[in-house]
Amino acid sequence: MAQIVQRPAATPTTHCTPDQYDALYQQSLDDPDGFWLEQAKRLDWFDQPTKGAEWSFAPPDIKWFSDGTLNLCHNAVDRHLGTHGDTTALIFEPDSPDAPGRSLTYSELYGEVVRVANALKAMGAGKGDRVTLYMPMVLEGVFAMLACARIGAIHSVVFGGFSPESLAGRIEACDSKFIITADEGLRGSKRVPLKANIDAALDQLDAPVTGVLVFKHTGADITMTEGRDHWFTDLASDDDCPCEVVNAEDPLFILYTSGSTGKPKGVVHTTGGYGLWAATTFHYTFDYQPGEVFWCSADIGWVTGHTYVTYGPLINAGTSLVFEGVPNYPDHGRFWDVIDKHQVNIFYTAPTAIRALMREGDEYVTSRDLSSLRLLGTVGEPINPEAWRWYHNVVGKGASPIVDTWWQTETGGHMITTLPYAHDMKPGSAGKPFFGIRPQLVDNDGNELSGAAEGNLCITDSWPGQARTVYGDHDRFHEAYFSTYPGKYFTGDGCRRDEDGYYWITGRVDDVINVSGHRMGTAEVESALVLHPKVSEAAVVGFPHDIKGQGIYCYVTLNAGEEQSDELQAELRQWVRKEIGPIATPDMLHFTEGLPKTRSGKIMRRILRKIAENDYGSLGDTSTLADPSLVDSLIEGRQNT
Ligand code: 6R9
């Protein structure tokens, strides 16, 4: 039986006590429309919605608040000016602790966002246009997201670590005519050539990008293409720029994420439902109290940065810290320095970072004053109980509750998490469903499993923050999420529910691997490898990795006549980095004469996974293989890799 860690006692300002959770959760299931129309009052609407949910999962057709109109920039900025104009909205901590930081109030944020919105308009961007953001982790990235929302444009943020090839694919897939970027980014003192990557991406595209807005960050020398590229300062103006009125179901953003097949999918989130989900989950999960400093360490290139750096905190008139750097620069105490310096109250990060810092010893933590911390959170992958305990005891001094939040790009915000003052914690378990969420575990045939059980995690009913489609390809949305178990949303995760109704995510059950909390489709890495002229076939699987959670293991067969060598191995690693980006760098590269296939030619990934895991005892039935003898040579190869 897992050990239970008691929740702290509720205080008079606690947003949710155990009794309140039970009552609200029940109400959210019994009367979703009533519940969410009431919650919708968290947002300012131009037309208050009277309709709640209108949805079906077979085929998917999802709407919430369809007669409501609003603007999320208004909700995150303008509406706070009267009451919170002088409240700190954002704090910027630069990559180098010696560089100047910045903090700005809601009034100042308003001015910044209007300037970016006017610059976007000057380039010709308007309602419904897709705008690709390829930004460093600086305040201007947040301004740019809000500026898009302000004018009704749809942002598509591409993580600054993606290669020009990946970037080009994402610009093309949503036919984006406008880009916002910076000269360079900084990460751990290394420069990231953002504008040069944009140029390289645009060189590959046929479709014209008409406007590139460039922020000066490092001051590097960059090439500006006349008529297309504009310095932000040349287009910015303080002219009046009212918020565009948009429908609740108008798209707010597209975010590309990896799936089990094909290219990354452009997940579409709409304004009303997503905005409400960001607002409500931020309020309850983090029990956010006015004046507190909230720090989510995710990059805005990921969904966690969208919902919990930008929208969740700002819609709640909170103070959100934006950190440009990395946890180990200039040393392994940087996170703790930032918490100490800015008196952070709520800290939200990924298990991979916790494991990496835990390895460096307690001294980095104990030498800093972390007494401001009240609450800790994790996201992105399952957290092992050992890392959980270190986070709880050493970072949180045993006093801060931990929220282990399970959710996905497609869910918009938290789905399963303990609430900090309502639920006791079990290290390694995400906990209980959030309001309105009906999780269901099913076996491989789709039969519902009741009580304590382990199976595939589905969600049976829609919730406001749910993604509505895959940009430009609704059939793919249907296929990817609603066809495996018809009538249910399938998450792709395996999960166990215990006797207390706590959920334990066991990891992906599809061909997606989770590397340092980032989703990577094995098919994407395979496609990159086979593009190399010497590679014949590739099969990619995950394997357990102490720090990253999962590492990338690549089986590669070469074309006839090509020689295996250490040089080629290094070259292929570099190749994948160039094709996708550093986050896709293979950890293991295993040259093999062949891949295990059934007689019908299907690669038996189960066997490849087991061998990558060094688990040879349970390879299962190998008799259906076209060439069973291959298994021995694969095992031998594994031992030499
Ligand atoms: C928010 C985010 C989603 C996948 C998801 C699951 C894994 C996320 C988790 C977790 C265990 C948690 N995941 N949070 N697994 N415990 N608390 O990470 O979105 O990048 O789309 O990844 O991450 O496997 O399916 P995204």
Side-chain angles (χ1 to χ4, degrees):
M1 207 38 214
Q3 209 186 319
I4 294 182
V5 178
Q6 266 202 330
R7 64 178 185 273
T11 73
T13 60
T14 294
H15 294 323
C16 191
T17 63
D19 291 348
Q20 284 168 330
Y21 172 81
D22 291 343
L24 287 171
Y25 183 62
Q26 198 53 49
Q27 193 195 334
S28 73
L29 299 191
D30 293 346
D31 177 19
D33 283 356
F35 182 85
W36 289 112
L37 284 168
E38 179 62 28
Q39 292 293 328
K41 294 177 182 159
R42 293 179 184 283
L43 301 180
D44 258 17
W45 300 81
F46 300 129
D47 295 292
Q48 192 76 31
T50 63
K51 292 186 183 169
E54 299 156 86
W55 63 271
S56 163
F57 285 174
D61 178 14
I62 304 158
K63 292 194 196 85
W64 283 84
F65 316 121
S66 66
D67 61 347
T69 64
L70 75 171
N71 181 290
L72 269 201
C73 181
H74 168 82
N75 274 278
V77 185
D78 302 42
R79 68 154 164 170
H80 302 317
L81 295 178
T83 45
H84 292 93
D86 296 332
T87 299
T88 304
L90 294 168
I91 298 173
F92 176 60
E93 171 67 23
D95 181 59
S96 161
D98 303 324
R102 186 177 171 196
S103 103
L104 81 177
T105 64
Y106 275 92
S107 300
E108 290 164 329
L109 174 61
Y110 169 82
E112 297 288 1
V113 171
V114 163
R115 275 187 281 284
V116 182
N118 279 325
L120 273 172
K121 280 189 182 166
M123 292 199 303
K127 187 171 180 178
D129 289 334
R130 279 78 55 215
V131 179
T132 298
L133 273 57
Y134 187 62
M135 290 292 289
M137 195 46 199
V138 296
L139 296 182
E140 287 72 12
V142 177
F143 304 160
M145 292 169 81
L146 294 169
C148 289
R150 188 169 193 90
I151 65 168
I154 303 166
H155 57 70
S156 164
V157 186
V158 178
F159 174 59
F162 279 117
S163 66
E165 283 73 15
S166 297
L167 178 59
R170 286 158 168 81
I171 294 169
E172 197 166 36
C174 67
D175 190 19
S176 163
K177 301 269 179 275
F178 306 98
I179 291 175
I180 308 183
T181 191
D183 48 5
E184 287 184 326
L186 284 172
R187 274 174 71 82
S189 83
K190 292 198 197 75
R191 286 160 179 259
V192 185
L194 296 172
K195 176 61 169 62
N197 286 351
I198 292 281
D199 295 340
L202 296 189
D203 281 348
Q204 303 175 19
L205 294 180
D206 301 328
V209 162
T210 52
V212 179
L213 189 66
V214 187
F215 285 98
K216 184 172 271 196
H217 182 43
T218 64
D221 239 350
I222 54 167
T223 314
M224 296 290 277
T225 300
E226 182 76 37
R228 184 194 74 184
D229 302 349
H230 310 274
W231 287 107
F232 165 68
T233 43
D234 291 340
L235 296 189
S237 89
D238 293 312
D239 293 352
D240 193 31
C241 178
C243 289
E244 190 77 28
V245 177
V246 305
N247 183 271
E249 282 300 323
D250 282 338
L252 175 70
F253 69 83
I254 302 168
L255 186 56
Y256 286 86
T257 190
S258 297
S260 17
T261 55
K263 290 185 179 167
K265 293 189 279 280
V267 168
V268 176
H269 280 287
T270 57
T271 307
Y274 169 84
L276 182 61
W277 200 250
T280 313
T281 53
F282 180 81
H283 174 84
Y284 282 110
T285 306
F286 299 116
D287 187 60
Y288 184 79
Q289 304 291 331
E292 287 191 318
V293 177
F294 176 84
W295 178 20
C296 164
S297 72
D299 192 282
I300 54 160
W302 310 113
V303 75
T304 306
H306 281 60
T307 309
Y308 301 109
V309 173
T310 302
Y311 291 107
L314 298 178
I315 293 173
N316 281 285
T319 302
S320 178
L321 190 146
V322 174
F323 176 47
E324 183 183 18
V326 294
N328 57 358
Y329 171 78
D331 70 24
H332 298 282
R334 187 67 193 284
F335 269 7
W336 323 123
D337 277 337
V338 175
I339 291 173
D340 187 349
K341 176 170 170 192
H342 297 289
Q343 295 289 292
V344 171
N345 305 106
I346 305 171
F347 178 50
Y348 188 37
T349 195
T352 186
I354 298 168
R355 286 192 296 266
L357 296 172
M358 175 172 82
R359 197 175 62 165
E360 302 301 327
D362 297 0
E363 173 67 19
Y364 285 109
V365 188
T366 53
S367 56
R368 272 77 175 184
D369 176 12
L370 302 187
S371 57
S372 58
L373 284 177
R374 175 176 73 82
L375 203 152
L376 301 169
T378 74
V379 57
E381 53 180 317
I383 183 164
N384 46 312
E386 189 197 358
W388 194 101
R389 291 195 180 282
W390 184 80
Y391 197 33
H392 191 247
N393 295 330
V394 180
V395 178
K397 318 291 181 228
S400 301
I402 294 181
V403 289
D404 174 352
T405 60
W406 174 83
W407 60 293
Q408 310 179 294
T409 304
E410 296 84 349
T411 72
H414 303 152
M415 297 288 280
I416 296 179
T417 173
T418 52
L419 294 185
Y421 300 88
H423 299 130
D424 291 338
M425 296 159 273
K426 298 189 186 190
S429 166
K432 300 267 196 171
F434 194 76
F435 305 133
I437 299 305
R438 290 181 188 263
Q440 190 179 82
L441 302 181
V442 300
D443 66 17
N444 289 341
D445 299 322
N447 302 308
E448 178 176 359
L449 305 169
S450 57
E454 181 163 346
N456 303 307
L457 178 62
C458 296
I459 311 290
T460 62
D461 288 26
S462 185
W463 64 98
Q466 181 170 25
R468 304 296 195 253
T469 192
V470 166
Y471 190 81
D473 198 348
H474 196 66
D475 287 345
R476 196 166 172 213
F477 184 62
H478 185 177
E479 171 65 27
Y481 305 109
F482 303 93
S483 68
T484 317
Y485 304 110
K488 308 178 208 292
Y489 168 76
F490 175 45
T491 64
D493 280 326
C495 181
R496 180 167 70 81
R497 181 174 47 222
D498 71 15
E499 56 289 346
D500 298 323
Y502 276 57
Y503 288 82
W504 301 72
I505 306 296
T506 53
R508 301 290 301 199
V509 292
D510 53 9
D511 289 323
V512 171
I513 53 184
N514 192 325
V515 187
S516 300
H518 301 315
R519 263 160 77 164
M520 186 53 57
T522 51
E524 282 171 70
V525 184
E526 289 163 5
S527 315
L529 282 165
V530 297
L531 279 179
H532 190 281
K534 293 185 180 165
V535 172
S536 160
E537 268 195 305
V540 173
V541 296
F543 75 107
H545 188 287
D546 282 351
I547 302 294
K548 299 180 181 180
Q550 281 191 299
I552 302 178
Y553 195 107
C554 308
Y555 294 90
V556 173
T557 66
L558 297 176
N559 287 326
E562 300 297 348
E563 289 290 321
Q564 306 178 1
S565 68
D566 290 350
E567 291 72 42
L568 183 55
Q569 208 178 78
E571 186 181 318
L572 291 178
R573 280 211 173 85
Q574 241 352 86
W575 178 269
V576 176
R577 282 175 75 94
K578 186 185 118 326
E579 284 295 322
I580 305 176
I583 55 168
T585 312
D587 294 282
M588 297 276 222
L589 225 141
H590 178 157
F591 290 122
T592 165
E593 292 303 321
L595 295 170
K597 292 184 185 164
T598 59
R599 289 194 188 93
S600 61
K602 213 167 163 349
I603 295 177
M604 291 187 78
R605 293 173 170 278
R606 177 176 52 81
I607 292 177
L608 292 175
R609 267 187 224 118
K610 291 285 177 196
I611 293 175
E613 286 164 12
N614 258 326
D615 178 5
Y616 314 126
S618 53
L619 289 180
D621 184 10
T622 55
S623 64
T624 54
L625 282 175
D627 175 11
S629 71
L630 191 62
V631 171
D632 289 336
S633 77
L634 281 166
I635 292 176
E636 200 188 315
R638 171 67 175 101
Q639 281 153 352
N640 299 330
T641 299

